[in-house]
Amino acid sequence: MPTPKLSPEATIWTDARHAPLAGELMNLMGSAIKPIGIGGPPVAEVNQLAKELDCPPHDDLRKLLVDRPAAYLLMTSLEGVTPDDLFSVCDQGTTVLTLEPIASNLQGLSASLKLNSGSTGRILTAPVFAQSPGFLSAADPYELLGDRRAIRFSSDGRPEHGSLFARLFDTWMTVLNFALLPESIDASLVGPLTEPTDDLRLLAGTLLAHARMPSAVAALLEVSDTSAQTGRELRVQGDGASLRITESAYTLHGPGGDLLDQAQDSGPAGFADMLAAQWRRLLDQPYPAGSALHAQTQADAMACCLASLLSIRTGQPESPGKLLEINR
Protein backbone atom coordinates (compact mmCIF):
# COMPACT_ATOMS: atom_id res chain seq x y z
CA MET A 1 0.00 0.00 0.00
CA PRO A 2 1.56 3.36 -1.03
CA THR A 3 2.51 5.81 1.70
CA PRO A 4 0.16 8.85 1.73
CA LYS A 5 1.82 12.00 0.39
CA LEU A 6 2.36 14.56 3.14
CA SER A 7 1.21 18.12 2.49
CA PRO A 8 3.96 20.76 2.48
CA GLU A 9 4.10 22.82 5.66
CA ALA A 10 3.65 26.59 5.68
CA THR A 11 4.11 29.44 8.13
CA ILE A 12 2.16 32.69 7.77
CA TRP A 13 3.16 36.27 8.57
CA THR A 14 0.26 38.71 8.51
CA ASP A 15 -1.27 41.74 10.25
CA ALA A 16 -4.68 42.90 11.41
CA ARG A 17 -5.78 44.10 7.98
CA HIS A 18 -4.72 40.97 6.10
CA ALA A 19 -5.43 38.23 8.66
CA PRO A 20 -8.94 37.56 7.23
CA LEU A 21 -7.41 37.21 3.74
CA ALA A 22 -4.79 34.77 5.04
CA GLY A 23 -7.52 32.72 6.69
CA GLU A 24 -9.61 32.67 3.52
CA LEU A 25 -6.60 31.59 1.49
CA MET A 26 -5.76 28.74 3.85
CA ASN A 27 -9.38 27.54 3.68
CA LEU A 28 -9.15 27.52 -0.13
CA MET A 29 -5.88 25.59 -0.06
CA GLY A 30 -7.46 22.96 2.19
CA SER A 31 -5.35 19.86 2.74
CA ALA A 32 -2.85 20.88 0.01
CA ILE A 33 -0.95 22.94 2.63
CA LYS A 34 -0.44 22.31 6.35
CA PRO A 35 -0.12 25.54 8.40
CA ILE A 36 2.25 25.10 11.35
CA GLY A 37 2.83 28.66 12.60
CA ILE A 38 1.22 32.10 12.51
CA GLY A 39 3.09 35.34 13.09
CA GLY A 40 2.49 39.06 13.07
CA PRO A 41 1.88 41.97 15.42
CA PRO A 42 0.28 40.92 18.72
CA VAL A 43 -3.25 41.97 17.77
CA ALA A 44 -6.61 40.24 18.13
CA GLU A 45 -6.97 39.46 14.42
CA VAL A 46 -3.64 37.63 14.21
CA ASN A 47 -4.28 35.74 17.45
CA GLN A 48 -7.73 34.74 16.20
CA LEU A 49 -6.26 33.38 12.96
CA ALA A 50 -3.72 31.35 14.95
CA LYS A 51 -6.57 29.93 17.03
CA GLU A 52 -8.64 29.06 13.94
CA LEU A 53 -5.70 27.25 12.35
CA ASP A 54 -4.64 25.66 15.63
CA CYS A 55 -1.13 27.13 15.36
CA PRO A 56 0.99 28.88 17.99
CA PRO A 57 1.13 32.67 17.46
CA HIS A 58 4.45 34.55 17.23
CA ASP A 59 5.20 38.26 17.14
CA ASP A 60 8.86 37.82 16.12
CA LEU A 61 9.46 36.66 12.55
CA ARG A 62 12.98 35.37 13.20
CA LYS A 63 11.81 33.27 16.13
CA LEU A 64 8.87 31.98 14.09
CA LEU A 65 11.22 30.87 11.32
CA VAL A 66 13.55 29.15 13.80
CA ASP A 67 10.78 27.48 15.80
CA ARG A 68 8.61 26.58 12.80
CA PRO A 69 10.75 26.08 9.67
CA ALA A 70 8.55 25.20 6.69
CA ALA A 71 8.62 24.67 2.95
CA TYR A 72 6.59 27.86 2.41
CA LEU A 73 6.34 31.23 4.09
CA LEU A 74 3.21 33.20 3.18
CA MET A 75 3.71 36.95 3.63
CA THR A 76 0.50 38.97 3.48
CA SER A 77 2.28 41.85 5.23
CA LEU A 78 5.82 43.20 5.40
CA GLU A 79 5.25 44.85 8.78
CA GLY A 80 8.25 44.19 11.03
CA VAL A 81 10.12 42.40 8.24
CA THR A 82 13.50 43.22 6.69
CA PRO A 83 14.89 41.86 3.40
CA ASP A 84 17.66 40.16 5.40
CA ASP A 85 15.01 38.17 7.28
CA LEU A 86 13.71 36.78 4.01
CA PHE A 87 17.15 36.24 2.51
CA SER A 88 17.99 34.13 5.56
CA VAL A 89 14.91 31.94 5.27
CA CYS A 90 15.53 31.42 1.55
CA ASP A 91 18.99 30.10 2.37
CA GLN A 92 17.19 27.38 4.35
CA GLY A 93 15.30 26.32 1.22
CA THR A 94 11.98 28.01 1.99
CA THR A 95 9.84 29.46 -0.80
CA VAL A 96 8.46 32.87 0.19
CA LEU A 97 5.11 33.91 -1.31
CA THR A 98 4.57 37.62 -0.78
CA LEU A 99 1.81 40.05 -1.74
CA GLU A 100 4.32 42.91 -1.84
CA PRO A 101 7.55 43.17 -3.83
CA ILE A 102 10.49 42.80 -1.48
CA ALA A 103 12.44 45.55 -3.24
CA SER A 104 11.22 49.05 -4.10
CA ASN A 105 14.28 50.27 -6.00
CA LEU A 106 16.75 48.91 -8.52
CA GLN A 107 19.52 48.28 -6.01
CA GLY A 108 17.26 46.24 -3.74
CA LEU A 109 15.90 44.32 -6.72
CA SER A 110 19.42 43.42 -7.82
CA ALA A 111 20.14 41.98 -4.36
CA SER A 112 16.94 39.90 -4.35
CA LEU A 113 17.61 38.59 -7.87
CA LYS A 114 21.08 37.47 -6.79
CA LEU A 115 19.46 35.68 -3.86
CA ASN A 116 16.98 33.90 -6.14
CA SER A 117 19.82 32.75 -8.39
CA GLY A 118 22.08 31.51 -5.60
CA SER A 119 19.73 30.09 -2.99
CA THR A 120 17.81 26.84 -2.66
CA GLY A 121 14.75 28.89 -1.74
CA ARG A 122 13.23 31.82 -3.61
CA ILE A 123 10.96 34.83 -3.23
CA LEU A 124 7.86 34.97 -5.44
CA THR A 125 5.28 37.74 -5.62
CA ALA A 126 1.63 36.76 -5.91
CA PRO A 127 -0.82 36.98 -7.54
CA VAL A 128 1.02 37.49 -10.83
CA PHE A 129 -1.28 38.14 -13.81
CA ALA A 130 0.93 36.01 -16.06
CA GLN A 131 0.17 33.07 -13.72
CA SER A 132 -3.62 33.60 -13.73
CA PRO A 133 -5.89 30.93 -15.26
CA GLY A 134 -6.96 33.35 -17.97
CA PHE A 135 -3.42 34.19 -19.05
CA LEU A 136 -2.24 30.59 -18.91
CA SER A 137 -5.17 29.46 -21.07
CA ALA A 138 -3.99 31.68 -23.94
CA ALA A 139 -2.45 29.28 -26.45
CA ASP A 140 0.69 31.25 -27.31
CA PRO A 141 -1.03 34.12 -29.15
CA TYR A 142 2.16 36.11 -29.79
CA GLU A 143 2.68 34.95 -33.36
CA LEU A 144 -0.97 35.43 -34.33
CA LEU A 145 -0.98 38.97 -32.94
CA GLY A 146 1.68 40.05 -35.40
CA ASP A 147 3.17 43.48 -34.80
CA ARG A 148 1.73 44.96 -31.61
CA ARG A 149 0.18 48.40 -31.85
CA ALA A 150 -1.75 49.15 -28.67
CA ILE A 151 -1.73 47.63 -25.18
CA ARG A 152 -4.25 48.41 -22.46
CA PHE A 153 -4.06 47.02 -18.95
CA SER A 154 -6.22 47.72 -15.92
CA SER A 155 -5.53 46.44 -12.42
CA ASP A 156 -8.09 47.45 -9.81
CA GLY A 157 -8.07 46.34 -6.21
CA ARG A 158 -9.45 46.93 -2.78
CA PRO A 159 -6.97 48.37 -0.26
CA GLU A 160 -6.49 45.02 1.50
CA HIS A 161 -5.77 43.29 -1.82
CA GLY A 162 -2.24 44.56 -2.38
CA SER A 163 -0.70 48.01 -2.53
CA LEU A 164 -0.71 50.30 -5.53
CA PHE A 165 3.01 49.60 -5.93
CA ALA A 166 2.44 45.83 -6.00
CA ARG A 167 -0.23 46.27 -8.68
CA LEU A 168 1.93 48.67 -10.68
CA PHE A 169 4.89 46.28 -10.69
CA ASP A 170 2.66 43.40 -11.86
CA THR A 171 1.16 45.70 -14.52
CA TRP A 172 4.55 46.54 -16.00
CA MET A 173 5.64 42.88 -15.85
CA THR A 174 2.52 42.06 -17.89
CA VAL A 175 2.94 44.85 -20.44
CA LEU A 176 6.59 43.96 -21.00
CA ASN A 177 5.48 40.49 -22.12
CA PHE A 178 4.18 42.20 -25.26
CA ALA A 179 6.41 45.24 -25.84
CA LEU A 180 9.92 46.58 -25.44
CA LEU A 181 11.01 48.93 -22.66
CA PRO A 182 9.13 52.24 -23.04
CA GLU A 183 11.00 55.23 -24.39
CA SER A 184 8.89 57.49 -22.15
CA ILE A 185 6.14 57.23 -19.53
CA ASP A 186 3.70 60.03 -18.72
CA ALA A 187 1.85 59.27 -15.48
CA SER A 188 -0.70 60.93 -13.19
CA LEU A 189 -1.99 60.00 -9.75
CA VAL A 190 -5.35 60.86 -8.23
CA GLY A 191 -6.52 59.92 -4.78
CA PRO A 192 -5.87 60.47 -1.09
CA LEU A 193 -2.30 61.77 -1.21
CA THR A 194 -2.04 65.52 -0.65
CA GLU A 195 1.71 65.72 -1.30
CA PRO A 196 3.87 63.92 -3.90
CA THR A 197 5.89 61.01 -2.54
CA ASP A 198 9.30 59.73 -3.61
CA ASP A 199 8.62 56.24 -2.21
CA LEU A 200 6.85 53.63 -4.35
CA ARG A 201 5.49 51.94 -1.22
CA LEU A 202 3.63 55.11 -0.21
CA LEU A 203 1.70 55.43 -3.47
CA ALA A 204 -2.07 55.27 -3.04
CA GLY A 205 -5.08 56.01 -5.18
CA THR A 206 -5.46 55.56 -8.94
CA LEU A 207 -2.49 55.83 -11.29
CA LEU A 208 -2.98 56.45 -15.00
CA ALA A 209 -0.11 56.28 -17.48
CA HIS A 210 0.61 56.53 -21.18
CA ALA A 211 3.78 54.84 -22.45
CA ARG A 212 5.50 55.20 -25.81
CA MET A 213 7.45 52.12 -26.91
CA PRO A 214 9.78 51.51 -29.87
CA SER A 215 8.30 50.30 -33.18
CA ALA A 216 5.23 52.57 -32.92
CA VAL A 217 3.71 50.75 -29.94
CA ALA A 218 1.75 52.54 -27.21
CA ALA A 219 0.32 51.43 -23.87
CA LEU A 220 -2.38 52.79 -21.59
CA LEU A 221 -2.41 51.75 -17.93
CA GLU A 222 -4.92 52.22 -15.13
CA VAL A 223 -3.92 50.91 -11.71
CA SER A 224 -5.80 51.42 -8.44
CA ASP A 225 -5.71 50.23 -4.84
CA THR A 226 -8.93 52.06 -3.88
CA SER A 227 -11.46 50.29 -6.11
CA ALA A 228 -14.74 48.76 -4.98
CA GLN A 229 -13.85 45.50 -6.73
CA THR A 230 -10.64 43.61 -7.49
CA GLY A 231 -9.77 42.42 -11.00
CA ARG A 232 -7.36 42.74 -13.92
CA GLU A 233 -7.84 42.91 -17.69
CA LEU A 234 -5.40 43.00 -20.60
CA ARG A 235 -6.15 44.02 -24.18
CA VAL A 236 -3.58 43.86 -26.96
CA GLN A 237 -4.26 45.12 -30.49
CA GLY A 238 -1.97 43.72 -33.17
CA ASP A 239 -1.88 43.82 -36.95
CA GLY A 240 -2.95 40.18 -37.07
CA ALA A 241 -5.33 39.80 -34.14
CA SER A 242 -6.86 41.32 -31.01
CA LEU A 243 -6.31 39.70 -27.62
CA ARG A 244 -8.35 40.06 -24.42
CA ILE A 245 -7.42 38.33 -21.16
CA THR A 246 -9.12 38.55 -17.76
CA GLU A 247 -8.44 36.62 -14.56
CA SER A 248 -10.32 33.60 -15.88
CA ALA A 249 -10.96 34.07 -19.61
CA TYR A 250 -9.14 34.54 -22.90
CA THR A 251 -10.37 35.49 -26.38
CA LEU A 252 -8.49 36.06 -29.62
CA HIS A 253 -10.19 37.70 -32.61
CA GLY A 254 -8.95 38.19 -36.16
CA PRO A 255 -8.83 41.60 -37.91
CA GLY A 256 -12.32 41.03 -39.35
CA GLY A 257 -13.83 40.19 -35.97
CA ASP A 258 -13.82 36.41 -36.45
CA LEU A 259 -13.16 34.41 -33.27
CA LEU A 260 -9.83 32.57 -33.58
CA ASP A 261 -9.62 31.05 -30.10
CA GLN A 262 -11.10 31.30 -26.63
CA ALA A 263 -11.02 29.69 -23.20
CA GLN A 264 -13.00 30.18 -19.99
CA ASP A 265 -12.24 29.08 -16.46
CA SER A 266 -15.55 28.78 -14.61
CA GLY A 267 -14.06 28.96 -11.13
CA PRO A 268 -14.45 31.95 -8.78
CA ALA A 269 -12.09 34.86 -9.28
CA GLY A 270 -11.89 36.61 -5.92
CA PHE A 271 -8.54 37.86 -4.71
CA ALA A 272 -7.96 34.85 -2.44
CA ASP A 273 -8.85 32.60 -5.40
CA MET A 274 -6.16 34.35 -7.47
CA LEU A 275 -3.59 33.64 -4.76
CA ALA A 276 -4.73 30.05 -4.34
CA ALA A 277 -4.55 29.37 -8.10
CA GLN A 278 -0.92 30.49 -8.24
CA TRP A 279 0.02 28.56 -5.09
CA ARG A 280 -1.58 25.34 -6.39
CA ARG A 281 0.23 25.73 -9.68
CA LEU A 282 3.48 26.18 -7.77
CA LEU A 283 2.81 22.96 -5.86
CA ASP A 284 2.18 21.08 -9.11
CA GLN A 285 4.98 22.66 -11.14
CA PRO A 286 7.64 24.16 -8.87
CA TYR A 287 9.86 26.84 -10.35
CA PRO A 288 13.44 25.59 -10.64
CA ALA A 289 15.24 26.35 -7.39
CA GLY A 290 18.11 28.78 -7.78
CA SER A 291 16.86 30.37 -11.03
CA ALA A 292 16.49 34.12 -11.44
CA LEU A 293 13.01 34.29 -12.95
CA HIS A 294 12.78 36.90 -15.72
CA ALA A 295 15.59 38.94 -14.16
CA GLN A 296 15.87 41.53 -16.93
CA THR A 297 12.09 41.91 -17.20
CA GLN A 298 11.91 42.51 -13.46
CA ALA A 299 14.61 45.17 -13.69
CA ASP A 300 12.79 46.81 -16.61
CA ALA A 301 9.48 46.68 -14.71
CA MET A 302 11.05 48.29 -11.64
CA ALA A 303 12.53 51.03 -13.82
CA CYS A 304 9.07 51.61 -15.31
CA CYS A 305 7.58 51.90 -11.82
CA LEU A 306 10.25 54.42 -10.84
CA ALA A 307 9.79 56.38 -14.08
CA SER A 308 6.03 56.47 -13.43
CA LEU A 309 6.66 57.80 -9.93
CA LEU A 310 9.11 60.41 -11.24
CA SER A 311 6.64 61.50 -13.91
CA ILE A 312 3.96 62.02 -11.24
CA ARG A 313 6.39 64.25 -9.34
CA THR A 314 7.69 66.26 -12.33
CA GLY A 315 4.53 66.40 -14.42
CA GLN A 316 6.64 65.41 -17.44
CA PRO A 317 7.26 62.18 -19.39
CA GLU A 318 10.20 60.25 -17.95
CA SER A 319 12.50 57.56 -19.36
CA PRO A 320 12.95 54.20 -17.59
CA GLY A 321 15.97 53.53 -19.78
CA LYS A 322 17.77 56.50 -18.27
CA LEU A 323 17.07 55.21 -14.77
CA LEU A 324 18.53 51.84 -15.71
CA GLU A 325 21.64 53.52 -17.08
CA ILE A 326 22.11 55.59 -13.92
CA ASN A 327 21.90 52.47 -11.75
CA ARG A 328 24.28 50.30 -13.76
Side-chain angles (χ1 to χ4, degrees):
M1 185 174 180
T3 303
K5 183 179 179 181
L6 298 177
S7 300
E9 295 178 335
T11 51
I12 300 167
W13 184 263
T14 188
D15 58 14
R17 183 186 224 181
H18 297 95
L21 172 65
E24 183 182 359
L25 174 57
M26 296 314 298
N27 286 335
L28 288 171
M29 294 302 295
S31 61
I33 287 291
K34 180 183 178 181
I36 62 170
I38 308 296
V43 295
E45 292 85 351
V46 175
N47 291 334
Q48 179 60 32
L49 177 62
K51 183 178 179 181
E52 291 172 359
L53 296 178
D54 193 23
C55 293
H58 291 71
D59 59 10
D60 185 307
L61 178 61
R62 293 185 180 182
K63 189 173 189 306
L64 170 64
L65 299 177
V66 170
D67 292 351
R68 299 282 170 170
Y72 290 93
L73 170 62
L74 173 67
M75 304 283 302
T76 63
S77 169
L78 292 182
E79 183 175 347
V81 179
T82 68
D84 285 343
D85 293 332
L86 302 182
F87 294 168
S88 175
V89 73
C90 282
D91 285 339
Q92 301 170 19
T94 296
T95 294
V96 179
L97 283 176
T98 172
L99 266 62
E100 297 296 321
I102 299 305
S104 59
N105 54 52
L106 288 166
Q107 296 89 343
L109 178 65
S110 177
S112 65
L113 289 174
K114 287 179 182 177
L115 168 79
N116 269 1
S117 64
S119 172
T120 54
R122 61 268 204 212
I123 299 173
L124 303 173
T125 307
V128 175
F129 188 67
Q131 292 291 318
S132 67
F135 195 98
L136 293 172
S137 68
D140 195 16
Y142 299 98
E143 185 174 344
L144 290 174
L145 278 169
D147 291 336
R148 274 65 122 186
R149 296 304 176 198
I151 303 168
R152 286 179 287 168
F153 191 81
S154 63
S155 178
D156 298 322
R158 294 183 53 75
E160 65 270 23
H161 292 166
S163 68
L164 183 59
F165 168 44
R167 292 189 166 276
L168 184 63
F169 186 78
D170 178 55
T171 293
W172 282 116
M173 286 289 291
T174 303
V175 169
L176 292 170
N177 272 289
F178 296 90
L180 298 174
L181 184 72
E183 295 169 340
S184 67
I185 299 170
D186 193 353
S188 300
L189 181 70
V190 294
L193 296 183
T194 57
E195 296 289 338
T197 176
D198 59 0
D199 186 343
L200 282 169
R201 296 200 188 280
L202 297 181
L203 285 174
T206 299
L207 186 152
L208 302 122
H210 171 236
R212 292 181 173 87
M213 281 87 162
S215 304
V217 182
L220 291 173
L221 284 60
E222 183 262 318
V223 188
S224 179
D225 69 340
T226 54
S227 297
Q229 293 184 316
T230 295
R232 296 171 291 190
E233 180 180 80
L234 170 71
R235 292 179 180 267
V236 182
Q237 178 70 45
D239 288 341
S242 297
L243 172 68
R244 177 179 179 266
I245 303 177
T246 64
E247 299 290 347
S248 58
Y250 146 77
T251 56
L252 188 70
H253 287 86
D258 50 316
L259 181 63
L260 302 178
D261 195 16
Q262 66 177 340
Q264 174 75 45
D265 184 296
S266 58
F271 187 69
D273 297 292
M274 301 174 198
L275 292 168
Q278 184 170 337
W279 201 347
R280 291 192 196 101
R281 178 174 170 79
L282 183 60
L283 292 173
D284 292 337
Q285 301 178 20
Y287 297 132
S291 64
L293 301 171
H294 312 295
Q296 187 56 56
T297 304
Q298 290 190 53
D300 289 349
M302 183 65 74
C304 288
C305 290
L306 292 166
S308 301
L309 177 63
L310 184 59
S311 177
I312 291 167
R313 292 176 57 82
T314 64
Q316 301 292 328
E318 300 292 346
S319 167
K322 289 183 180 178
L323 296 177
L324 287 170
E325 285 293 330
I326 292 171
N327 285 276
R328 282 200 176 113

